[in-house]
Amino acid sequence: MRDVAVIGVGMQKWGELWEKSLRDIFTESAMLAIDDAGVDHIDSMYVGCMTSGLFVGQEHLGSLLADYLGVAPIPALRVESACASGGAAFRQAYFDVASGANDIVLASGVEKMTDVDGAGATYALSTAADAEYEVYHGITFPGLYALLAVAHMHAYGTTREQLAEVSVKNHKNGAKNPLAQYPFEVTVDQVLNSVMIADPLTILDCSPITDGAAGAILCPLDMAKDLSHKAPVKILSSAHATDSIALHSRQDLTWLSAVAKAGEVAYKGAGLTPADIDFVEVHDCFTIAEIAVIEALGFFEKGKGGTGAPSGETAMGGRIPVNPSGGLKSKGHPVGATGIAQIVETVKQLRGDAGERQVEGAKVGMTQNMGGTGGSCVAHILGKV
Amino acid sequence: MAGIIGYGAYMPRNRIKVEEIAKVWGADAPSYKRGLMLQEKSVPSPDQDVITMSVEATKHALTRAEIDPSKIGAVYVGSESHPYAVKPSGTVLAEAIGATPEVHCADFEFACKAGSEAMFVCMGLVDSEKIEYGLAVGADTSQGAPSDALEYSAAAGAASFVIGRDPGVAKVIETYSFMTDTPDFWRRSYMHYPRHAGRFTGEPAYFKHIMGCAKGIMAKVKMEPKDFAYVVFHQPNGKFPQRVGKMLGFTKEQIDPGWLSPTLGNTYSGSSPMGLTATLDVAKPGDMVLMVSYGSGAGSDGFVFEVTDRIDEVRNVAPGTRELLDKKTYIEYGTYAKYRRKIRMGE
Amino acid sequence: MSTSAKYWRGIPQRYRLEAEKCTDCGAQFFPPRVVCSGCGGREFEEIKLDDRGKLLTYTVIRVGPSEFCEQTPYAMGIVELEGGVRMTGQIADVDFDDLEVGLPIKIEFRKIREEGEAGILCYGYKFVPDK
């Protein structure tokens, strides 16, 4: 296997992009990544997308988007693993390059979520859960994470305020991210007193509905200097793990074992430990998700994840800055694009290009992207060369 | 001889008070309460219908019957609010209790006596030895048009009976039916609410048929009101069953154990069958019980039961009818209107 | 869109709580599986789940999917039945203030959803407080 580097990243401002279609937002971000790398062609491409069929009535994305990007007839494939689709697409691109099959590969992610109404979006997202034994009964994603939250609060004494602090911290980071959908700060009071969605989670505990896309250009590390003027960022490891998609099937309702497994494999692949990671972009689709993930990744003891945000340990300048980009909460969560956006942020941080939200001296960054309630998880560790 | 092997009731937890309904229509609650002898009625939640209530009542009946459900040869659900216009309620019930596939199934409709019809037919099939056990259910989520007098009484509930041969909890001593064509209450196809003929529903309808049926069956078994420990009549409101009982010569003590309507309302096809389950809850071995249903259109089914020793063994293994009646949550008219789909949604 | 076949296929589970037990390692599965995820066994015996259990976690859905809109707000939870099998479902007839981890529940047969005004009615299990 060849060592692989990321030489270009691209992402436009996320939000409710009423005037743009899925193919528009994909193409814009892909062009930004290609231009950032400075390459004149790509050999193959992967598109992470959860459910364009339900959101915009369009499947067969690989070919459609290759055509609109003007790169047909190269091989182009859509990759799906619910909200981890972006991370999974990046991993496929990594293998494509590492295996020697292709040299310059686009890993991208896209989701156009606002072409359906709220009920339509709720339904589309719910398909990431067990359709016959969870969704049939009326559960929603906020509902599933609320079940996880109540179990966590009951088992470990995690508090409602600790959940709110995750949102406050991520919005504080996101306020410095010009590409974020909601680049403003919120207070604990605002989180606690916003509209209840699924007790105990309020709307400010939930990541938003977002239109957005992101892209990254991968190539063999030893070709990076010839292909691009940008400082290459090396992919130190890539990991993927699965778990039951039905939350109720897990022995410990508070423990994300796919996240733990992906983390373990990623650390081992990179020869690193959690202590070696300078910052991490995690999948905070709900505030409780960040708490459970930072435990599963080994940054906090099991049951202690709730202390991360209030203690400042996960803040910028803290022991392990979590979600410098603002996370899914502030930056937005166009589901299939999220995993790639995490890569975009990590590459910017490792290049030292993150502006006001730069993690000082960052050399190693990690991304963690999960599907459903943790039924799938993709993790990557990237390092400055 | 056919008998009741097991019995069970079920009703939703929601109740609405007469005052709450009267308030909306500017009606005089005290006069309704006095005139109809009604305090409150049960209201189904959006997730409860004839099928779900039938299943729950039947679970209680099967707990008392202690039989293998696959031996049930007939499943009959009587109701005027079957959830489907075409597709049986009984198939869902039979499947839910594990009685399929060797079972005969039909849904019955005869206004408020569809439940007793189901009992009647099961008893005949058992007596003729066509089946070993039959399941008879009377259940309704009754509809009354907003502001109509029926709105104060139309309620929800179910009673289920496993009918078989001895030893049961009550032997069927006699059955009898009394029927004429009397258009006192009806609902045309595709109409949401039933219509009724006002005071015509009284003397020529309810009273005539119940009196005729009760007198007929008592003559058949050569018994008088004083020979019965208890009597159960159809209960369209609180007043009618007391009045018809008095007219026939029964005492309040004989009527009251099965007199549920003041705090339950009229559960239509479930009405007299639930009165019977409540009566069996308190009956002693050897007690004679008379039940007379009434269904508009119009007719009555009469049954004479003799309670057996087994009643004492099974009475408390499943919830009693009044125990269920006491578990309640009051709702306001707005919630009631939402639950009963009286609010047009933006489809 | 009719989903009769999909609904019908699940009737033994939704109506009667039919599950299975691996004859090799004893692991219970609801719904039934082809391969035991515990030991890889492929032989199972059919079992019927107990209809009582306790609540492991819960929430109240305030914003529901469109076919559940008329039911909102409604409580949902994960229940562990006696015997150990866990399942997700709605908790009916409960005052939200009474929801707590460990709440004893029993299963009741309820209508879960409707496929629009003209479609099939879908039934199944819900949880109610067992008291």
Side-chain angles (χ1 to χ4, degrees), chain A residues 47-50 82-87 108-111 333-340 369:
Chain A
V47 184
C49 180
M50 176 181 158
C83 313
S85 298
S108 66
V110 63
E111 211 79 53
H333 182 30
V335 281
T338 283
I340 301 293
N369 181 205

Side-chain angles (χ1 to χ4, degrees), chain C residues 86-99:
Chain C
R86 295 171 173 194
M87 53 176 65
T88 300
Q90 285 192 31
I91 309 160
D93 292 356
V94 70
D95 297 326
F96 297 152
D97 291 341
D98 293 341
L99 289 168

Side-chain angles (χ1 to χ4, degrees), chain A residues 34 39-43 71 104 217 227:
Chain A
I34 289 169
V39 293
D40 60 3
H41 74 284
I42 57 174
D43 298 323
V71 296
I104 308 175
I217 303 294
L227 288 170

Side-chain angles (χ1 to χ4, degrees), chain B residues 10 47 49 56 84 95, chain C residues 16 70 108-109 121 123 126:
Chain B
Y10 182 84
D47 61 356
D49 61 18
E56 288 302 317
Y84 284 98
E95 197 74 63
Chain C
R16 297 192 298 270
E70 72 170 10
E108 271 199 17
F109 191 80
L121 306 174
Y123 295 92
K126 285 194 181 183

Side-chain angles (χ1 to χ4, degrees), chain B residues 63-138:
Chain B
T63 302
R64 289 194 175 98
E66 296 174 313
I67 62 154
D68 174 358
S70 68
K71 291 183 176 170
I72 293 172
V75 170
Y76 299 134
V77 180
S79 178
E80 60 109 83
S81 48
H82 290 290
Y84 284 98
V86 176
K87 189 196 172 298
S89 298
T91 51
V92 184
L93 170 59
E95 197 74 63
I97 61 170
T100 55
E102 288 185 79
V103 60
H104 186 249
C105 176
D107 285 0
F108 290 173
E109 188 280 313
F110 192 143
C112 297
K113 88 168 182 77
S116 68
E117 276 185 312
M119 295 166 69
F120 196 100
V121 174
C122 277
M123 289 165 189
L125 288 171
V126 166
D127 273 338
S128 66
E129 301 191 5
K130 289 271 188 199
I131 59 172
E132 186 174 359
Y133 298 108
L135 185 64
V137 179

Side-chain angles (χ1 to χ4, degrees), chain A residues 316-376:
Chain A
M316 298 299 285
R319 174 167 67 82
I320 171 71
V322 177
N323 284 326
S325 70
L328 284 54
K329 178 69 207 76
S330 167
K331 186 178 57 193
H333 182 30
V335 281
T338 283
I340 301 293
Q342 293 177 331
I343 298 290
V344 171
E345 177 69 12
T346 302
V347 167
K348 284 183 182 174
Q349 290 285 352
L350 295 175
R351 283 176 178 173
D353 284 348
E356 277 191 89
R357 61 183 194 287
Q358 180 65 45
V359 176
E360 289 307 320
K363 289 189 175 60
V364 178
M366 185 174 193
T367 63
Q368 177 274 335
N369 181 205
M370 65 184 169
T373 49
S376 60

